[in-house]
Amino acid sequence: MEQAQSGVSAAKVFRRAAVLPTCVTAMWLVQAGPLGSVVPDAEDMYEMPEYRRNSYAIVYDGTVCRIKSSNMETTMAFWKWIGALALACVPVAHAADDYPGKPVKLLVGFNPGGATDLLARLYAAKLTQKFGQSFVVDNRAGAGGNIAVDVVAKAPADGYTLVMAANYIAVNAALKRNPYDWKRSLAPVALIASTPNLLVVPAASKLHSVDDLIKGAKQGNLTFGSPGVGSSIHMAGELFKVLTGVEMTHVPYRGIAQAEVDLMGGSLDLMFGSISTAAPLVESGRLRAIAVTGKKRTKFLPNIPTLDETGLHGFDVEATYLVVAPAHTPAQIVHRLSAAIAEITRQPDVQRAIERLYAQPLSGGAQETTAFLRAEEEKWEHVVKVTGVKAE
């Protein structure tokens, strides 16, 4: 919509409004009152005389906008447009009140067994209990999580197809490898949890420290695995290469489980693994931990230093898990889901389950999740530019 000072014609506003999420716009109007949101001759808002006569002010997403109409025909068209929007979205409002009225798919972009999958199953079970409708986990592995997210980006905007994703959405956007524009195609719902990554090597490896790893990489090419291009596990490795000046070969997998099997068997030299699955392997003696990738040491492995402590200053890579829906999903449904997720996250048994994944619970609804993804994309755009990392 146009700001009041622009004096744009109603016809132009109609044309531009066509690209907006129509039902979201009308839903807001219905909630506020179909006529109460539009103020004829709102002279108290602006002092410019040329915008007073035959003009209207409309509040859209917190912004006061002025639509200037030059004749009665345009004025009538404006009111018909507002009325049509309100009437068209009454069924959507009713559907949102009844949500969920059928089973909901919660997609995961990786094979079963990883942190994303485990969190999805935890929340799917809790959401099923809360709403009395099944939330079913559907694994669509591949492309660093992008296959599942792309399915959701193209799904109907009705709240029945969601994805448990992570900040790889922003990383992949920085790498320009997303088949979708997340800002236009997705509706962020809620933040779930975050974890640092864990630099691990096989238990029998001769690498015992970051210095050993750097020396080994300079003597011969080392391999590091990940569950796909753009994952935090992959990007941590790429950042490590740049900050240390060593060369290592990235080996992408379709999921974390097989990568860890190959790492334990010695087919891989190292991995910046998900702490939720790598820490138990460290504790059982099948892998050895060298460092964590976050800003601070993790309370789960307090004796393991951060990479920053080892001399790689500023090294900070974490996986942050979140739920998103298709763009234009009715705001009531997004709010209902985010409120339910926040309530679930506060439950003591859920917090204990998240801690068992070596993760930290997070809070934040649609706005916070959107702001987080925007900040992450900006951060990784800088890293991609500096490191020269490219999508494979």
Side-chain angles (χ1 to χ4, degrees), residues 166-175 182-183 191 194-195 197 230-232 235 295 316-322 368-384:
N167 45 340
Y168 61 77
I169 291 176
V171 176
N172 284 329
L175 287 168
W182 74 264
K183 300 181 191 71
L191 295 170
S194 67
T195 64
N197 293 80
S231 64
S232 66
M235 297 305 288
K295 288 182 179 180
D316 179 23
V317 179
E318 292 193 338
T320 300
Y321 304 95
L322 45 92
E368 291 82 3
T369 309
T370 300
F372 167 76
L373 284 173
R374 288 183 182 276
E376 279 289 288
E377 182 175 354
E378 183 177 338
K379 164 188 168 182
W380 286 109
E381 280 177 345
H382 175 71
V383 171
V384 168

Side-chain angles (χ1 to χ4, degrees), residues 2-333:
E2 297 292 323
Q3 294 291 338
Q5 287 81 354
S6 68
V8 69
S9 70
K12 285 185 178 179
V13 173
F14 296 161
R15 286 197 296 272
R16 295 186 185 184
V19 303
L20 295 172
T22 301
C23 285
V24 173
T25 306
M27 195 69 68
W28 191 94
L29 293 172
V30 169
Q31 290 176 335
L35 301 183
S37 304
V38 180
V39 185
D41 297 322
E43 298 181 34
D44 57 326
M45 295 184 181
Y46 298 98
E47 297 180 357
M48 301 175 66
E50 61 268 32
Y51 294 107
R52 292 180 181 177
R53 188 177 180 183
N54 296 324
S55 61
Y56 299 94
I58 180 171
V59 180
Y60 178 79
D61 284 353
T63 301
V64 178
C65 308
R66 177 67 62 94
I67 300 173
K68 184 179 180 182
S69 58
S70 58
N71 54 54
M72 181 61 69
E73 181 180 353
T74 306
T75 301
M76 293 302 295
F78 171 73
W79 285 106
K80 288 179 180 178
W81 179 66
I82 292 296
L85 284 176
L87 290 174
C89 289
V90 170
V92 178
H94 180 70
D97 290 339
D98 292 340
Y99 177 86
K102 62 181 181 180
V104 179
K105 283 187 178 181
L106 181 57
L107 273 62
V108 174
F110 304 96
N111 287 328
T116 312
D117 175 74
L118 295 171
L119 284 169
R121 294 182 187 280
L122 171 64
Y123 276 82
K126 287 291 185 176
L127 288 166
T128 297
Q129 292 175 7
K130 177 171 179 59
F131 289 119
Q133 282 287 354
S134 296
F135 280 70
V136 182
V137 174
D138 184 358
N139 296 85
R140 304 283 186 94
N146 258 348
I147 290 177
V149 179
D150 191 40
V151 170
V152 172
K154 296 173 181 176
D158 56 9
Y160 289 96
T161 308
L162 312 172
V163 61
M164 178 71 74
N167 45 340
Y168 61 77
I169 291 176
V171 176
N172 284 329
L175 287 168
K176 302 188 186 307
R177 68 186 299 265
N178 284 340
Y180 52 84
D181 179 350
W182 74 264
K183 300 181 191 71
R184 294 178 179 270
S185 302
L186 299 174
V189 175
L191 295 170
I192 300 296
S194 67
T195 64
N197 293 80
L198 191 62
L199 173 54
V200 289
V201 298
S205 173
K206 296 180 180 180
L207 305 173
H208 292 270
S209 66
V210 172
D211 285 341
D212 287 346
L213 195 156
I214 294 172
K215 291 176 183 177
K218 289 180 177 179
Q219 293 173 358
N221 194 27
L222 299 180
T223 58
F224 72 102
S226 85
V229 175
S231 64
S232 66
I233 295 173
H234 167 224
M235 297 305 288
E238 294 293 346
L239 184 58
F240 183 89
K241 286 166 54 178
V242 172
L243 293 179
T244 59
V246 303
E247 286 298 324
M248 301 187 297
T249 300
H250 174 229
V251 182
Y253 289 76
R254 290 178 65 88
I256 191 66
Q258 188 58 48
E260 288 175 336
V261 169
D262 284 357
L263 180 64
M264 288 185 288
S267 298
L268 294 172
D269 295 303
L270 64 123
M271 186 161 63
F272 294 82
S274 167
I275 194 171
S276 61
T277 56
L281 299 176
V282 170
E283 292 169 346
S284 66
R286 287 176 284 180
L287 292 177
R288 184 189 313 124
I290 292 179
V292 295
T293 63
K295 288 182 179 180
K296 300 178 180 179
R297 294 193 182 200
T298 173
K299 67 178 183 180
F300 305 110
L301 295 168
N303 295 326
I304 305 300
T306 66
L307 281 166
D308 184 272
E309 290 178 68
T310 67
L312 302 184
H313 301 301
F315 200 109
D316 179 23
V317 179
E318 292 193 338
T320 300
Y321 304 95
L322 45 92
V323 173
V324 297
H328 313 320
T329 298
Q332 290 94 328
I333 291 178

